[in-house]
Amino acid sequence: MRQWTLEERYRVLKSPDEIRDLHDKITASVYSQNYHVQPVTGLSSDPNGFAYYEGKWHLFFQWCPWGAVHGLKYWYHASSPDLVTWENEGIGLSPDTFYDNKGCHSGSAFAKGNDLYFFYTGNHRDENWVRTPFTCAAKMTEDGKLEKLEKPLFGPREDYAEHQRDPKIIYVPEKKKYYIFIGAQTLDKKGTALMYESEDLLTGWRFAGQLNVPGYEDFGGMWECPCIVNISGKDVLIFSPQYTTLPGRGNSTNHNVYFIGKMDYDTLTFTPEGDYQYLDFGFDFYAAQCAANVADPDKAILVAWIGLPDNHYPTEEEDWEGSMCLPRELRIVDGKLVQTPVADIASLRTGEAEANGTLPKICELEVSFSGGDAALDLFTKADGSGGFTIRYDDAARKLTVDRTGMDKRFNEKVFETLDVDMPDGLKSISVFIDACSVELFLNGGEKTFTSHIYPTADEHNYTVSANGAVKIYTLGCSVENNFVV
Ligand code: FRU
């Protein structure tokens, strides 16, 4: 694993020519994605500034140009008419002011009238590397570029730790106010969110208080990337708690969870209807964000980073890593969150392949099971050995995903095997395979499982238990990943 100096990680990008060769490495990689948004070079992490605006979806993500390393972060911009076909638009935000001198960190967007606004964390560090996080704003100009406001909306609070970041903006019509949720850490190192309010988008911001989530006063050490969305009249609070292990999540200390409940803006209290839930049960899923300005009140659109902080992936050797997951539709059905890939994803199908035990390189599998124990082993060798195994134990109502059989193993100390409780049994699995990712939608999206996967040339077969019926669709390419910087 390459060791990076601080200077290398925080180098400022002066010209696209400096990274052209790095882009060639991604283009040449067998693990370069085909229908998932990925970086032009280096590392992509959290989705940012996701919104629907004037007939287009705008998605930004955290981007470090120099390699598979977390360093100086830019916002990289991609756009799409349909959440399936994506075009690279180049850099959205560069760390080029006093307030964001060491990174334009995560944040959100909001379209109002004819304008699209962005709210992000300016990660300022002084010469002693002491951090001051500022909440900054920007606006999209007519040529699609982002123009920053000269001054931040507000700075950090001194009665909380330096971890105050990732503004999520929403408008609450009943209160005629905008609110910003900020992921934070208390001085005694507990995760929380801070709330700010204003009648205007760009002025008048005041601290409203700390978000209360009764029962969750001591839940992880930092809540990264808070997000709140209303679906069919219920509030869904999403965030990524870290610095703690959680049941069933191996040794990982980075998670992405949600609650369904009710947000009371008078008392700043989110009352959950039940326990927290994992947003996704896979090995690599973090920092999910819902798009702003989705017109349909019964659904939200969500994107997350396929990756986890602190983890390392085999493409580090090629100086890049990370991608976005497929955009998902979130609905509430019978009081539960259901996630499905956006409907237009079906337009990517180029044909049906024979279900003969071979996996096309990029494909979708629809597997239905008729009951009892079940197995679906993906990326096995020709003799059926190895692979990414999905086994369902009907008596225990538990599904186990195990990737220890793959040639390329990674993050072994974090986890390689994970369980998913399936109280209603296993009826179906939809599988989306791209060059370095696999996404499972279980029982029509009741639960999901997202992971990186790096199959070698010998690992392109599958086996399924006798009670499983498989349909395979080959998929086309919808992300060209042109070199636009
Ligand atoms: C989450 C995160 C955010 C931060 C960003 C920096 O992965 O740590 O809290 O804004 O990444 O890249």
Side-chain angles (χ1 to χ4, degrees):
M1 195 193 320
R2 174 169 166 187
Q3 296 301 314
W4 294 74
T5 64
L6 209 56
E7 283 72 24
E8 284 170 335
R9 284 165 49 202
Y10 283 85
R11 187 173 147 200
V12 173
L13 180 65
K14 302 220 172 77
S15 148
D17 292 335
E18 295 175 291
I19 52 173
R20 218 172 268 278
D21 293 350
L22 285 173
H23 177 68
D24 294 343
K25 287 198 192 183
I26 293 196
T27 312
S29 172
V30 292
Y31 300 118
S32 183
Q33 299 275 58
N34 301 281
Y35 61 98
H36 288 81
V37 173
Q38 65 186 327
V40 276
T41 67
L43 175 137
S44 62
S45 54
D46 316 358
N48 294 153
F50 188 23
Y52 187 68
Y53 171 63
E54 295 192 333
K56 251 192 190 178
W57 296 91
H58 293 275
L59 175 64
F60 299 75
F61 55 82
Q62 289 284 286
W63 178 51
C64 182
W66 302 114
V69 68
H70 292 270
L72 189 65
K73 295 286 177 77
Y74 292 70
W75 277 31
Y76 190 88
H77 182 193
S79 71
S80 172
D82 55 5
L83 294 168
V84 176
T85 308
W86 291 93
E87 223 172 86
N88 284 345
E89 301 275 359
I91 291 175
L93 291 171
S94 296
D96 54 9
T97 71
F98 170 85
Y99 302 105
D100 57 25
N101 68 337
K102 290 293 178 269
C104 295
H105 283 187
S106 287
S108 55
F110 189 82
K112 185 191 171 206
N114 295 327
D115 292 309
L116 182 58
Y117 297 94
F118 300 90
F119 300 82
Y120 71 99
T121 298
N123 183 48
H124 173 84
R125 285 191 186 269
D126 68 11
E127 57 286 356
N128 299 316
W129 210 245
V130 174
R131 169 149 64 178
T132 310
F134 293 100
T135 298
C136 304
K139 185 176 152 180
M140 189 175 270
T141 59
E142 277 184 7
D143 62 358
K145 299 287 167 218
L146 269 51
E147 195 172 78
K148 293 178 186 173
L149 255 64
E150 231 164 78
K151 287 267 155 64
L153 302 181
F154 48 87
R157 290 187 62 83
E158 288 186 357
D159 47 353
Y160 288 84
E162 57 160 351
H163 296 294
Q164 299 176 45
R165 56 178 178 266
D166 311 340
K168 170 64 186 176
I169 180 134
I170 59 149
Y171 182 65
V172 179
E174 308 86 75
K175 305 286 293 176
K176 294 198 174 59
K177 276 187 209 160
Y178 295 93
Y179 287 86
I180 285 179
F181 288 67
I182 300 267
Q185 182 184 67
T186 62
L187 287 176
D188 58 353
K189 296 199 174 349
K190 307 244 168 27
T192 188
L194 305 181
M195 297 189 58
Y196 290 78
E197 60 182 9
S198 174
E199 286 72 26
D200 295 304
L201 261 182
L202 300 183
T203 56
W205 285 97
R206 343 176 255 283
F207 180 58
Q210 184 178 324
L211 173 70
N212 308 302
V213 185
Y216 291 88
E217 292 74 16
D218 189 1
F219 184 58
M222 166 67 187
W223 292 3
E224 294 195 307
C225 304
C227 177
I228 188 159
V229 67
N230 191 278
I231 307 174
S232 301
K234 299 222 185 234
D235 293 314
V236 181
L237 178 67
I238 296 170
F239 57 96
S240 297
Q242 60 174 186
Y243 307 133
T244 185
T245 54
L246 289 178
R249 302 296 303 160
N251 294 322
S252 180
T253 54
N254 299 290
H255 317 275
N256 210 164
V257 303
Y258 74 92
F259 294 103
I260 299 179
K262 182 84 199 130
M263 181 68 213
D264 181 335
Y265 289 90
D266 289 320
T267 60
L268 306 183
T269 301
F270 186 95
T271 308
E273 281 179 5
D275 290 342
Y276 72 89
Q277 306 289 331
Y278 298 125
L279 194 52
D280 186 283
F281 288 81
F283 299 109
D284 305 292
F285 188 93
Y286 199 70
Q289 180 175 117
C290 292
N293 304 94
V294 173
D296 185 343
D298 292 324
K299 74 174 183 200
I301 307 288
L302 176 136
V303 168
W305 163 31
I306 305 183
L308 285 185
D310 313 322
N311 280 9
H312 295 274
Y313 297 92
T315 52
E316 263 190 43
E317 286 171 18
E318 302 172 352
D319 281 322
W320 72 280
E321 77 178 43
S323 87
M324 299 298 108
C325 74
L326 281 183
R328 300 172 174 188
E329 295 183 0
L330 270 48
R331 287 195 173 70
I332 293 186
V333 181
D334 298 333
K336 292 191 190 133
L337 193 71
V338 170
Q339 307 181 51
T340 50
V342 288
D344 277 352
I345 203 75
S347 66
L348 263 187
R349 291 178 183 171
T350 50
E352 201 177 324
E354 206 187 316
N356 61 3
T358 308
L359 287 174
K361 183 155 184 221
I362 53 172
C363 63
E364 175 190 348
L365 267 64
E366 273 183 6
V367 189
S368 51
F369 295 100
S370 54
D373 292 350
L376 174 66
D377 294 357
L378 301 170
F379 308 108
T380 51
K381 303 247 169 70
D383 64 2
S385 65
F388 180 93
T389 65
I390 306 162
R391 303 287 169 86
Y392 171 66
D393 175 341
D394 196 43
R397 298 263 146 161
K398 199 171 75 180
L399 180 136
T400 302
V401 179
D402 183 343
R403 64 177 180 192
T404 50
M406 297 295 296
D407 283 347
K408 283 195 198 265
R409 291 172 67 174
F410 51 99
N411 299 324
E412 293 101 313
K413 296 211 174 92
V414 182
F415 38 33
E416 291 190 286
T417 307
L418 286 171
D419 294 335
V420 187
D421 287 332
M422 302 294 296
D424 302 326
L426 177 68
K427 292 160 213 128
S428 66
I429 311 181
S430 297
V431 184
F432 286 83
I433 293 173
D434 202 343
C436 70
S437 64
V438 55
E439 286 154 286
L440 311 178
F441 294 84
L442 308 169
N443 290 351
E446 276 172 15
K447 303 232 162 128
T448 64
F449 196 107
T450 299
S451 292
H452 270 308
I453 187 95
Y454 300 88
T456 55
D458 294 339
E459 296 172 313
H460 57 255
N461 298 283
Y462 73 90
T463 58
V464 64
S465 50
N467 58 350
V470 183
K471 264 192 173 189
I472 304 181
Y473 298 97
T474 49
L475 299 180
C477 176
S478 59
V479 177
E480 285 185 11
N481 205 20
N482 292 332
F483 187 63
V484 185
V485 177

